[in-house]
Amino acid sequence: MKILTILLSLVVFVVKGQSNEASRYATFKLKEIALLNIEPSNTSVILNLESPKLPGEKMTTKAVNNTKWINFTSSLTNKSSSRNISIKIEDGEIPPGILLKIKTDSYQGNGKGKLGSNSNIITLSKKSQTIVSDIGGAYTGHGLYNGYKLTYLLDIDNYKLLNMDNSETLTISLTLTDF
Amino acid sequence: MKKYPPQYLFFIFVLLINFAFCQDNNSDGHQLQITIPDVALISVHNNNSAINLKGNEITEAGKKLTFNSPDNSTWINYSSIIGSKNESHRFVSLEISEGEVPDGLNLLVTASKDAGKGNGEMGVPIESNQILDEAPIKIIKNIGSCYTGVGVNNGTNIKYELVLNDKVDSYSKLNFNQSQTISLTYTLSDN
């Protein structure tokens, strides 16, 4: 009964509100939107250096789970011309001797609009770097296989700095920004 | 107490829902794990199944017995990842694990510099002759994280040499019945 009262009140409220606005204004406003999320969410990217099989061999890198997808929705106002997606290491340190790289594939999926263009492979750091540029009004579609596919890679940069006590968990952040 | 009309309560409810959805904003993040394992692997490579060190045939009476030139057909390869906490460096040691060097003789070992086929901190070879014994001796020190490459001509070349020992009576102790096969064991261990 209570719910019914609330719902009825809502109808009254909405109808009242709409009629007020309609009578006074004739403008229709589109909001500026910048939404981004990573799929699959709540899973860690896991990159392991693996012990060689034969003595004398180099360590190999093994990716247990190293791909993510970026979904976004963007609409712009006249003021801003385009947007970028930037990436950085938010928290944690890359173990010494290792380079963490990211490959951004070109857009895939069933979205529409000015979806932007991907950058080459970059080496991640604490500094923000652009991986997708020139995004206009667009949506990528939702979930896996929609948007930009990211692939994380490890490279050994300085072998003698590798240290088994330096295993690390990092936090990576991605942001859809104004140009 | 003043009672609010249900419209207001609903309005607040809608606002709260809006806040909840606002968490889906213009940035997102995820975790990334990087793991580095402990590695300590060593192997010995030689194109021959065994090394044969022997005395040269004496062709003229009165000449001293000499031994064939040093053998350096053996290579050791290793892969190592150290840890700064407990295992900051490693070393390679060598010992006679089976058999005995015949009386009057010494078996000498020399490790040469790394062949440069791998990468990392290969360590420092002990390039002077050391006498092999049943007790392990260090032949390469201060090995860090590295790999040498695989097979002969990779890693460290090992030279074995058989010589008369320094004792006065060494020559008199030589005995042709004492030809021996001995086993040598290399170990890569933590400092």
Side-chain angles (χ1 to χ4, degrees):
Chain A
M1 188 61 203
K2 255 187 193 169
I3 294 166
L4 193 69
T5 319
I6 291 172
L7 281 178
L8 273 173
S9 316
L10 168 71
V11 171
V12 173
F13 182 68
V14 169
V15 168
K16 220 177 146 193
Q18 273 183 347
S19 67
N20 275 349
E21 266 192 73
S23 63
R24 286 183 191 173
Y25 309 106
T27 51
F28 187 64
K29 264 193 169 178
L30 261 181
K31 266 169 65 180
E32 191 171 352
I33 301 168
L35 296 173
L36 175 144
N37 77 329
I38 303 166
E39 296 284 338
S41 56
N42 303 325
T43 60
S44 285
V45 167
I46 298 171
L47 298 167
N48 294 335
L49 286 182
E50 279 218 320
S51 177
K53 300 275 180 294
L54 286 175
E57 280 184 328
K58 190 179 180 174
M59 285 221 282
T60 51
T61 55
K62 189 188 178 191
V64 177
N65 169 18
N66 68 332
T67 58
K68 290 277 183 186
W69 288 79
I70 305 175
N71 296 164
F72 65 81
T73 302
S74 165
S75 76
L76 297 165
T77 61
N78 291 334
K79 277 178 268 173
S80 45
S81 58
S82 67
R83 289 198 170 100
N84 285 338
I85 294 172
S86 64
I87 189 164
K88 69 170 177 176
I89 298 167
E90 191 72 44
D91 194 33
E93 300 287 337
I94 298 175
I98 289 175
L99 296 178
L100 175 60
K101 295 185 173 185
I102 193 159
K103 179 166 81 85
T104 311
D105 288 353
S106 52
Y107 173 81
Q108 292 175 57
N110 51 23
K112 277 197 171 63
K114 195 181 167 194
L115 286 151
S117 51
N118 58 310
S119 71
N120 292 325
I121 293 177
I122 61 158
T123 301
L124 288 183
S125 69
K126 297 230 165 194
K127 215 182 82 194
S128 247
Q129 294 181 84
T130 300
I131 49 169
V132 183
S133 53
D134 212 22
I135 297 166
Y139 66 94
T140 56
H142 183 70
L144 299 178
Y145 312 107
N146 282 301
Y148 285 93
K149 185 187 179 187
L150 303 178
T151 308
Y152 288 92
L153 310 159
L154 283 188
D155 246 8
I156 298 172
D157 173 44
N158 191 340
Y159 211 91
K160 64 179 158 198
L161 295 181
L162 297 178
N163 185 326
M164 64 175 150
D165 297 327
N166 283 342
S167 294
E168 182 76 49
T169 300
L170 312 173
T171 305
I172 308 292
S173 76
L174 289 119
T175 308
L176 177 62
T177 52
D178 290 335
F179 208 89
Chain B
M1 204 177 115
K2 194 185 166 189
K3 269 211 152 188
Y4 293 103
Q7 289 99 316
Y8 288 113
L9 288 177
F10 188 77
F11 189 65
I12 288 163
F13 176 68
V14 168
L15 270 179
L16 284 174
I17 283 182
N18 259 327
F19 279 127
F21 279 115
C22 275
Q23 283 175 357
D24 199 14
N25 57 21
N26 73 322
S27 71
D28 197 0
H30 68 85
Q31 293 210 312
L32 186 148
Q33 287 173 30
I34 299 173
T35 58
I36 305 170
D38 182 2
V39 179
L41 298 169
I42 186 166
S43 64
V44 182
H45 292 262
N46 195 310
N47 287 336
N48 312 310
S49 55
I51 299 162
N52 195 358
L53 297 171
K54 59 183 180 184
N56 290 321
E57 257 181 63
I58 301 170
T59 51
E60 222 177 313
K63 275 202 162 176
K64 185 182 173 185
L65 177 73
T66 55
F67 294 91
N68 63 345
S69 52
D71 179 283
N72 46 17
S73 59
T74 304
W75 294 81
I76 54 172
N77 301 160
Y78 45 91
S79 296
S80 165
I81 295 296
I82 51 117
S84 54
K85 285 177 195 157
N86 303 317
E87 300 169 32
S88 65
H89 282 98
R90 296 206 163 97
F91 61 88
V92 174
S93 62
L94 179 57
E95 66 189 272
I96 297 175
S97 47
E98 227 175 283
E100 264 174 49
V101 177
D103 290 343
L105 299 175
N106 276 342
L107 180 57
L108 304 180
V109 65
T110 305
S112 62
K113 285 199 178 71
D114 181 80
K117 305 282 175 61
N119 200 347
E121 205 177 332
M122 309 294 190
V124 183
I126 294 168
E127 291 180 88
S128 57
N129 283 320
Q130 294 190 86
I131 299 169
L132 277 175
D133 198 359
E134 281 165 15
I137 52 163
K138 283 186 190 182
I139 59 165
I140 307 167
K141 296 185 296 185
N142 292 334
I143 297 168
S145 291
C146 68
Y147 66 97
T148 58
V150 181
V152 294
N153 302 319
N154 287 276
T156 303
N157 186 229
I158 301 293
K159 185 179 84 179
Y160 298 109
E161 199 173 358
L162 202 55
V163 294
L164 283 170
N165 68 26
D166 293 339
K167 287 172 192 154
V168 191
D169 60 346
S170 65
Y171 206 86
S172 65
K173 285 201 171 161
L174 293 178
N175 180 337
F176 67 82
N177 285 331
Q178 276 202 336
S179 291
Q180 270 275 4
T181 298
I182 57 177
S183 299
L184 301 174
T185 302
Y186 288 87
T187 310
L188 176 64
S189 40
D190 303 326
N191 268 356

